[in-house]
Amino acid sequence: MRQTDSRPLVAPLPAPSMTLDGRFRCFTPRQVLAAFLVLIAVVPLVLPEFYVTLLNYIGLYAMVALGLVLLTGVGGLTSFGQAAFVGLGAYTTAVLTTSTDLPGWLAWAGGSPWLALGVGLLITALVALLVGSLTLRLSGHFLPLGTIAWGISLYFLFGTMDILGGHTGMSGIPPISIFGWQLDEGHEIYYLIWIFLLAAALTTQNLLDSREGRAIRALKGGMVMAEAMGVNTSRSRMIIFVIAALHAAASGWLYAHMQRFVNPTPFGVHIGIEYLFMAVVGGAGQVWGAIVGAGAITIMKQWLQDVLPAVLGATGNFEVIVFGLLMVLILHRARDGIWPWLARLVPVRGNQIEIDHAAAALPRREMPTRGEVILEARNVTRRFGGLVANNDMSLHVEAGEILALIGPNGAGKSTMFNQLSGVDTPTSGEVLFRGKSIAGHESREIAHLGMSRTFQHVKLLPKMSVLENVAIGAHLRGNRGVIPSAWRLDRAEEARLLAEAARQIERVGLGSHMHDEAGSLALGQQRILEIARALASDPCLLLLDEPAAGLRLKEKQTLGDLLRKLRAEGMAILLVEHDMDFVMGLVDRVVVMEFGQKIAEGLPEDVQKNPAVLEAYLGGVE
Ligand code: ADP
Ligand code: MG
């Protein structure tokens, strides 16, 4: 799916370095991955046991940090409670593989570490769903606080339950065996740990690189937009919370069988904080940053523990203090972590997304016939306390026409737009979309019905390419979920979604910016991008809130041409505008508002001569 073009997909981080003979020397991502795999495979054969043990710990930590990269780095949800999920995985297998008197209904899972892994993941998923449904709704700092509370409770639960051995813990956990081969040496379980970690990293990378992944990447800073494009953001949050918990539990399972012993100490909240540090220090939004972060922190702690007592000539936990200071320094000096800095050292060819223009077109909704009433507001009134922002407003939009809602600042246009788009509910009156009331529907449901919108203040994901931003618009036209995406079984659908996004980008004239970062576009182009994104959802009604605001004359003309083209194709378009000149040469009908009320309605040339309108515009707030 990826092509070896030298144009980078996201930030052009890895600047190609010049070799001595002056030519560019670059590696493909595949080559770098292959080199890494070889390194991982060879290391235990050449390094002493001590380093292998260290690498085992790094692998286990990295797996938990990887979950946090997804949850915190990408999704923006902070959890201090991951260590508790590690404990859940570890204790489940400890109980199932050592207990001699399991209750009858659980006896089948006893004795086998692999069955215990299955049970542990299942329990973790259930607990994560429960904890997630309680905490993910909490906003701002309540979520991290919630995870601390949950981390502490589970930690004490591990320490107090008799069946779990209290604070002494549980010993006698058997080693894992694969087809009779017992992994009881450090370098043996090493391979299992790193296979788990690499599988987790690759599947996470695949997931991020898919329809579900774009929805997840929109969580940080793009929730309102994503919902308006049909994404269920609560579901996406839950998905990453559960995945992060499962990674942690798998790490705990491996840990228990490596140590052959568990007690509550490694599952406390302070370890949870350390996991978070690993994810952040590595490079919070980067899958491979998890390994770098876990490695850097583990090695640094080990090194400080060895060096400090010698330097200071005294024993004590000095490393904790120095570690803390170093952490502050890193977070201060390298906000994006170590990964971006490391990536620059190894020039990798940018992996630009390849578009398969031959991919089958996505199915389209049945379009209404020209002249059919698509959207209708009936006597809509919206009060904010004593203020009547919309007063008894009625209007309608037909298929194949452009209706403009205009009026001076503060007239109530944006409020009306919110009623029409279902973002807000009228105090009285109703809004019908294709004959059905949209009151009480989520914006993603309305998007599914065929209404798509742009935002007055552009809402896009600035670090994502134009192509991927527009592909979010096509989200509701696909259905492949997390598991197919993680294993790349979604590629046929993904190709169709991306081809559709590319078509819409070409259609609005942004073809030459397909792979640029959305944030690098001029404001006018960003507004056009939003229209392409709206079109990618295959709407029959486009709602545009002040699309011409901040545009230069040339950009306004381009926008006008585009809207005319869409109208000719039968699209219904409603635009809220402030700019009279832009509207007059373009639209079919105009509704004029002032002080929350409709003061005129009709053809642009008639409305323009209407004394009430002239008064509103010339004598009003303008
Ligand atoms: P326009 O988009 O035409 O400039 P708005 O719809 O934004 O006008 O605002 C209309 C009036 O409603 C203004 O007086 C504004 O202060 C008020 N208003 C808008 N939204 C709210 C709100 N959420 N709470 C209270 N007053 C509001
Ligand atoms: Mg407004």
Side-chain angles (χ1 to χ4, degrees):
M1 275 294 125
R2 303 254 171 203
Q3 85 184 26
T4 49
D5 188 305
S6 56
R7 285 212 321 228
L9 164 62
V10 202
L13 272 178
S17 63
M18 292 276 238
T19 54
L20 286 181
D21 58 355
R23 283 184 320 175
F24 285 109
R25 179 91 186 83
C26 259
F27 303 101
T28 64
R30 244 171 233 275
Q31 287 171 328
V32 177
L33 182 63
F36 184 63
L37 291 183
V38 170
L39 186 73
I40 293 296
V42 173
V43 151
L45 307 177
V46 296
L47 284 186
E49 190 77 16
F50 169 79
Y51 290 103
V52 176
T53 308
L54 197 64
L55 282 169
N56 284 344
Y57 278 105
I58 292 175
L60 293 174
Y61 294 152
M63 200 128 98
V64 186
L66 180 64
L68 283 174
V69 160
L70 189 65
L71 186 67
T72 308
V74 178
L77 303 172
T78 307
S79 166
F80 291 101
Q82 294 312 101
F85 287 120
V86 181
L88 214 49
Y91 270 104
T92 306
T93 199
V95 169
L96 290 179
T97 56
T98 60
S99 175
T100 47
D101 52 351
L102 288 175
W105 58 271
L106 204 59
W108 60 273
S112 158
W114 292 100
L115 285 179
L117 173 64
V119 176
L121 292 178
L122 190 69
I123 292 179
T124 305
L126 294 176
V127 172
L129 282 171
L130 181 72
V131 173
S133 63
L134 294 175
T135 54
L136 290 181
R137 251 175 280 206
L138 305 177
S139 58
H141 50 276
F142 289 111
L143 173 67
L145 287 180
T147 61
I148 290 177
W150 128 259
I152 293 175
S153 343
L154 210 72
Y155 171 74
F156 281 105
L157 192 71
F158 293 143
T160 44
M161 276 177 69
D162 282 339
I163 183 185
L164 303 181
H167 283 281
T168 5
M170 305 174 72
S171 51
I173 301 172
I176 297 167
S177 63
I178 302 175
F179 302 118
W181 172 35
Q182 291 218 332
L183 309 177
D184 45 12
E185 298 275 345
H187 64 268
E188 288 170 324
I189 197 161
Y190 167 93
Y191 285 107
L192 190 62
I193 291 174
W194 282 83
I195 286 170
F196 264 63
L197 176 59
L198 290 169
L202 290 172
T203 48
T204 305
Q205 184 81 65
N206 291 344
L207 172 63
L208 286 175
D209 201 13
S210 71
R211 168 180 173 272
E212 288 280 6
R214 283 185 293 272
I216 291 168
R217 281 146 71 197
L219 289 176
K220 200 154 102 180
M223 295 249 264
V224 174
M225 176 276 290
E227 284 279 336
M229 295 302 131
V231 175
N232 183 341
T233 55
S234 321
R235 180 175 164 275
S236 294
R237 285 150 69 96
M238 187 60 95
I239 285 171
I240 55 178
F241 192 71
V242 172
I243 292 178
L246 290 176
H247 283 161
S251 169
W253 175 76
L254 287 162
Y255 171 83
H257 292 286
M258 181 179 87
Q259 291 289 69
R260 319 274 297 275
F261 162 78
V262 290
N263 71 356
T265 317
F267 313 126
V269 168
H270 66 290
I271 308 287
I273 296 174
E274 227 157 77
Y275 284 129
L276 206 52
F277 270 140
M278 289 176 189
V280 173
V281 165
Q286 306 288 338
V287 164
W288 300 104
I291 300 179
V292 175
I297 289 194
T298 311
I299 292 169
M300 191 161 82
K301 276 181 71 174
Q302 184 67 40
W303 180 71
L304 288 175
Q305 250 167 33
D306 294 346
V307 166
L308 283 181
V311 173
L312 299 172
T315 51
N317 291 347
F318 301 115
E319 79 275 3
V320 179
I321 301 166
V322 178
F323 179 74
L325 291 175
L326 280 174
M327 206 58 65
V328 172
L329 201 70
I330 290 178
L331 293 182
H332 197 70
R333 305 299 302 227
R335 298 220 94 185
D336 297 328
I338 311 175
W339 176 255
W341 170 84
L342 202 67
R344 229 168 283 151
L345 299 180
V346 185
V348 181
R349 265 182 224 166
N351 35 0
Q352 175 182 304
I353 292 180
E354 184 185 297
I355 301 156
D356 177 8
H357 292 282
L362 292 167
R364 297 202 53 189
R365 80 176 72 244
E366 214 174 297
M367 290 301 262
T369 48
R370 192 175 297 271
E372 186 184 323
V373 173
I374 302 294
L375 184 71
E376 190 182 2
R378 286 189 189 156
N379 313 100
V380 166
T381 295
R382 178 65 169 108
R383 293 177 211 278
F384 297 111
L387 182 108
V388 189
N390 290 156
N391 191 358
D392 200 25
M393 285 289 300
S394 296
L395 58 83
H396 75 274
V397 194
E398 296 169 10
E401 83 164 342
I402 306 180
L403 177 78
L405 182 61
I406 67 169
N409 264 328
K413 303 183 297 293
S414 291
T415 306
M416 191 62 201
F417 188 91
N418 290 341
Q419 314 307 311
L420 293 170
S421 56
V423 168
D424 195 12
T425 314
T427 315
S428 67
E430 61 178 348
V431 177
L432 304 176
F433 178 57
R434 304 193 79 175
K436 285 191 214 92
S437 168
I438 59 169
H441 288 274
E442 304 272 358
S443 54
R444 65 167 180 278
E445 295 169 341
I446 296 170
H448 274 274
L449 296 174
M451 183 194 296
S452 202
R453 62 168 296 185
T454 64
F455 295 88
Q456 183 173 358
H457 303 286
V458 174
K459 287 191 200 297
L460 37 73
L461 298 165
K463 290 282 171 201
M464 253 198 223
S465 68
V466 169
L467 178 66
E468 288 195 286
N469 265 285
V470 173
I472 293 176
H475 183 89
L476 50 74
R477 300 173 74 185
N479 58 23
R480 301 315 294 270
V482 175
I483 292 169
S485 305
W487 296 99
R488 288 184 101 68
L489 303 172
D490 63 334
R491 293 295 104 178
E493 182 187 273
E494 177 71 358
R496 297 174 76 185
L497 292 174
L498 290 173
E500 172 68 9
R503 258 193 297 278
Q504 299 303 344
I505 293 169
E506 299 284 357
R507 185 180 183 189
V508 301
L510 282 180
S512 60
H513 295 287
M514 192 81 72
H515 302 286
D516 295 350
E517 265 185 38
S520 73
L521 301 185
L523 178 65
Q525 294 169 322
Q526 297 191 357
R527 287 196 189 281
I528 302 270
L529 185 161
E530 286 214 333
I531 295 176
R533 186 178 63 200
L535 291 174
S537 71
D538 187 28
C540 54
L541 170 69
L542 263 186
L543 293 182
L544 313 175
D545 198 358
E546 304 221 11
L551 298 203
R552 283 169 295 189
L553 188 62
K554 187 103 200 336
E555 293 175 319
K556 283 184 193 173
Q557 284 166 354
T558 315
L559 176 64
D561 292 342
L562 172 63
L563 296 182
R564 282 188 194 94
K565 208 163 83 184
L566 294 173
R567 168 176 61 192
E569 293 169 20
M571 185 80 69
I573 302 172
L574 180 132
L575 53 99
V576 166
E577 229 350 300
H578 182 79
D579 184 337
M580 277 269 237
D581 295 335
F582 173 71
V583 162
M584 288 307 165
L586 172 68
V587 308
D588 301 284
R589 286 188 304 123
V590 182
V591 169
V592 190
M593 288 183 76
E594 193 189 16
F595 302 124
Q597 276 170 314
K598 182 157 82 179
I599 57 166
E601 176 169 13
L603 299 174
E605 51 271 29
D606 296 339
V607 162
Q608 227 169 351
K609 290 186 222 124
N610 184 315
V613 175
L614 289 173
E615 169 65 17
Y617 264 80
L618 299 175
V621 224
E622 293 305 282

